[in-house]
PDB file of all heavy atoms in Angstrom:
ATOM      1  N   LEU A   7      89.961-110.410  89.093  1.00  0.00           N
ATOM      2  CA  LEU A   7      90.852-109.894  88.070  1.00  0.00           C
ATOM      3  C   LEU A   7      90.163-109.852  86.714  1.00  0.00           C
ATOM      4  O   LEU A   7      90.227-108.858  85.988  1.00  0.00           O
ATOM      5  CB  LEU A   7      92.106-110.759  87.986  1.00  0.00           C
ATOM      6  CG  LEU A   7      93.148-110.583  89.095  1.00  0.00           C
ATOM      7  CD1 LEU A   7      94.214-111.653  88.976  1.00  0.00           C
ATOM      8  CD2 LEU A   7      93.774-109.207  89.017  1.00  0.00           C
ATOM      9  N   ILE A  64      77.306-127.995  75.073  1.00  0.00           N
ATOM     10  CA  ILE A  64      76.893-126.600  75.205  1.00  0.00           C
ATOM     11  C   ILE A  64      76.360-126.334  76.607  1.00  0.00           C
ATOM     12  O   ILE A  64      76.651-125.293  77.217  1.00  0.00           O
ATOM     13  CB  ILE A  64      75.818-126.264  74.147  1.00  0.00           C
ATOM     14  CG1 ILE A  64      76.372-126.489  72.740  1.00  0.00           C
ATOM     15  CG2 ILE A  64      75.330-124.827  74.304  1.00  0.00           C
ATOM     16  CD1 ILE A  64      75.338-126.303  71.645  1.00  0.00           C
ATOM     17  N   LEU A 118      76.312-124.851  91.242  1.00  0.00           N
ATOM     18  CA  LEU A 118      75.890-124.748  89.845  1.00  0.00           C
ATOM     19  C   LEU A 118      76.924-125.369  88.926  1.00  0.00           C
ATOM     20  O   LEU A 118      76.580-125.998  87.916  1.00  0.00           O
ATOM     21  CB  LEU A 118      75.667-123.279  89.480  1.00  0.00           C
ATOM     22  CG  LEU A 118      75.182-122.999  88.050  1.00  0.00           C
ATOM     23  CD1 LEU A 118      73.838-123.664  87.791  1.00  0.00           C
ATOM     24  CD2 LEU A 118      75.083-121.490  87.810  1.00  0.00           C
ATOM     25  N   SER A 186      63.213-112.628  97.231  1.00  0.00           N
ATOM     26  CA  SER A 186      63.626-113.679  98.159  1.00  0.00           C
ATOM     27  C   SER A 186      62.439-114.521  98.604  1.00  0.00           C
ATOM     28  O   SER A 186      62.532-115.753  98.689  1.00  0.00           O
ATOM     29  CB  SER A 186      64.310-113.056  99.379  1.00  0.00           C
ATOM     30  OG  SER A 186      65.452-112.318  99.007  1.00  0.00           O
ATOM     31  N   ILE A 191      59.375-119.639  98.160  1.00  0.00           N
ATOM     32  CA  ILE A 191      58.130-120.368  97.871  1.00  0.00           C
ATOM     33  C   ILE A 191      58.325-121.330  96.702  1.00  0.00           C
ATOM     34  O   ILE A 191      57.877-122.485  96.728  1.00  0.00           O
ATOM     35  CB  ILE A 191      56.988-119.379  97.580  1.00  0.00           C
ATOM     36  CG1 ILE A 191      56.673-118.560  98.839  1.00  0.00           C
ATOM     37  CG2 ILE A 191      55.742-120.113  97.088  1.00  0.00           C
ATOM     38  CD1 ILE A 191      55.686-117.442  98.604  1.00  0.00           C
ATOM     39  N   TYR A 203      56.121-136.532  93.015  1.00  0.00           N
ATOM     40  CA  TYR A 203      56.092-137.187  91.698  1.00  0.00           C
ATOM     41  C   TYR A 203      56.928-138.466  91.703  1.00  0.00           C
ATOM     42  O   TYR A 203      56.482-139.508  91.207  1.00  0.00           O
ATOM     43  CB  TYR A 203      56.602-136.225  90.633  1.00  0.00           C
ATOM     44  CG  TYR A 203      56.912-136.889  89.321  1.00  0.00           C
ATOM     45  CD1 TYR A 203      55.886-137.365  88.494  1.00  0.00           C
ATOM     46  CD2 TYR A 203      58.233-137.066  88.909  1.00  0.00           C
ATOM     47  CE1 TYR A 203      56.181-137.988  87.288  1.00  0.00           C
ATOM     48  CE2 TYR A 203      58.524-137.681  87.710  1.00  0.00           C
ATOM     49  CZ  TYR A 203      57.498-138.147  86.903  1.00  0.00           C
ATOM     50  OH  TYR A 203      57.792-138.764  85.708  1.00  0.00           O
ATOM     51  N   TRP A 215      52.837-138.731  81.768  1.00  0.00           N
ATOM     52  CA  TRP A 215      51.987-138.530  80.586  1.00  0.00           C
ATOM     53  C   TRP A 215      50.506-138.708  80.898  1.00  0.00           C
ATOM     54  O   TRP A 215      49.671-138.440  80.039  1.00  0.00           O
ATOM     55  CB  TRP A 215      52.396-139.504  79.479  1.00  0.00           C
ATOM     56  CG  TRP A 215      53.838-139.405  79.122  1.00  0.00           C
ATOM     57  CD1 TRP A 215      54.813-140.345  79.325  1.00  0.00           C
ATOM     58  CD2 TRP A 215      54.491-138.300  78.483  1.00  0.00           C
ATOM     59  NE1 TRP A 215      56.017-139.905  78.876  1.00  0.00           N
ATOM     60  CE2 TRP A 215      55.851-138.644  78.344  1.00  0.00           C
ATOM     61  CE3 TRP A 215      54.052-137.063  78.033  1.00  0.00           C
ATOM     62  CZ2 TRP A 215      56.779-137.785  77.767  1.00  0.00           C
ATOM     63  CZ3 TRP A 215      54.977-136.210  77.451  1.00  0.00           C
ATOM     64  CH2 TRP A 215      56.318-136.569  77.319  1.00  0.00           C
ATOM     65  N   LEU A 223      54.366-131.391  85.929  1.00  0.00           N
ATOM     66  CA  LEU A 223      54.498-130.039  85.364  1.00  0.00           C
ATOM     67  C   LEU A 223      54.716-129.000  86.455  1.00  0.00           C
ATOM     68  O   LEU A 223      55.415-128.002  86.237  1.00  0.00           O
ATOM     69  CB  LEU A 223      53.260-129.695  84.533  1.00  0.00           C
ATOM     70  CG  LEU A 223      53.132-130.403  83.177  1.00  0.00           C
ATOM     71  CD1 LEU A 223      51.847-129.995  82.483  1.00  0.00           C
ATOM     72  CD2 LEU A 223      54.339-130.085  82.291  1.00  0.00           C
ATOM     73  N   SER A 225      56.430-129.467  89.183  1.00  0.00           N
ATOM     74  CA  SER A 225      57.838-129.546  89.584  1.00  0.00           C
ATOM     75  C   SER A 225      58.762-128.948  88.527  1.00  0.00           C
ATOM     76  O   SER A 225      59.744-128.282  88.858  1.00  0.00           O
ATOM     77  CB  SER A 225      58.228-131.000  89.867  1.00  0.00           C
ATOM     78  OG  SER A 225      58.143-131.793  88.702  1.00  0.00           O
ATOM     79  N   ILE A 253      88.647 -99.730  90.345  1.00  0.00           N
ATOM     80  CA  ILE A 253      88.818-101.123  90.739  1.00  0.00           C
ATOM     81  C   ILE A 253      90.173-101.583  90.216  1.00  0.00           C
ATOM     82  O   ILE A 253      90.359-101.766  89.023  1.00  0.00           O
ATOM     83  CB  ILE A 253      87.706-102.020  90.162  1.00  0.00           C
ATOM     84  CG1 ILE A 253      86.335-101.462  90.514  1.00  0.00           C
ATOM     85  CG2 ILE A 253      87.854-103.448  90.652  1.00  0.00           C
ATOM     86  CD1 ILE A 253      85.203-102.170  89.832  1.00  0.00           C
ATOM     87  N   LYS A 254      91.118-101.747  91.122  1.00  0.00           N
ATOM     88  CA  LYS A 254      92.461-102.115  90.723  1.00  0.00           C
ATOM     89  C   LYS A 254      93.013-103.198  91.633  1.00  0.00           C
ATOM     90  O   LYS A 254      92.534-103.395  92.747  1.00  0.00           O
ATOM     91  CB  LYS A 254      93.396-100.902  90.755  1.00  0.00           C
ATOM     92  CG  LYS A 254      93.053 -99.831  89.722  1.00  0.00           C
ATOM     93  CD  LYS A 254      94.036 -98.689  89.774  1.00  0.00           C
ATOM     94  CE  LYS A 254      93.688 -97.627  88.727  1.00  0.00           C
ATOM     95  NZ  LYS A 254      94.641 -96.488  88.765  1.00  0.00           N
ATOM     96  N   PRO A 273     122.544-114.929 103.717  1.00  0.00           N
ATOM     97  CA  PRO A 273     121.213-114.324 103.639  1.00  0.00           C
ATOM     98  C   PRO A 273     120.485-114.821 102.407  1.00  0.00           C
ATOM     99  O   PRO A 273     121.076-115.021 101.362  1.00  0.00           O
ATOM    100  CB  PRO A 273     121.508-112.819 103.559  1.00  0.00           C
ATOM    101  CG  PRO A 273     122.881-112.731 102.980  1.00  0.00           C
ATOM    102  CD  PRO A 273     123.621-113.937 103.503  1.00  0.00           C
ATOM    103  N   GLU A 290      78.376 -90.542  94.066  1.00  0.00           N
ATOM    104  CA  GLU A 290      76.954 -90.666  93.731  1.00  0.00           C
ATOM    105  C   GLU A 290      76.218 -91.379  94.841  1.00  0.00           C
ATOM    106  O   GLU A 290      76.659 -92.409  95.342  1.00  0.00           O
ATOM    107  CB  GLU A 290      76.814 -91.445  92.430  1.00  0.00           C
ATOM    108  CG  GLU A 290      75.375 -91.591  91.957  1.00  0.00           C
ATOM    109  CD  GLU A 290      75.314 -92.416  90.684  1.00  0.00           C
ATOM    110  OE1 GLU A 290      76.346 -92.973  90.305  1.00  0.00           O
ATOM    111  OE2 GLU A 290      74.225 -92.493  90.104  1.00  0.00           O
TER     112      GLU A 290
END
Side-chain angles (χ1 to χ4, degrees):
L7 284 171
I64 300 175
L118 182 61
S186 300
I191 295 173
Y203 167 71
W215 304 113
L223 287 179
S225 64
I253 307 172
K254 294 182 180 180
E290 182 182 8

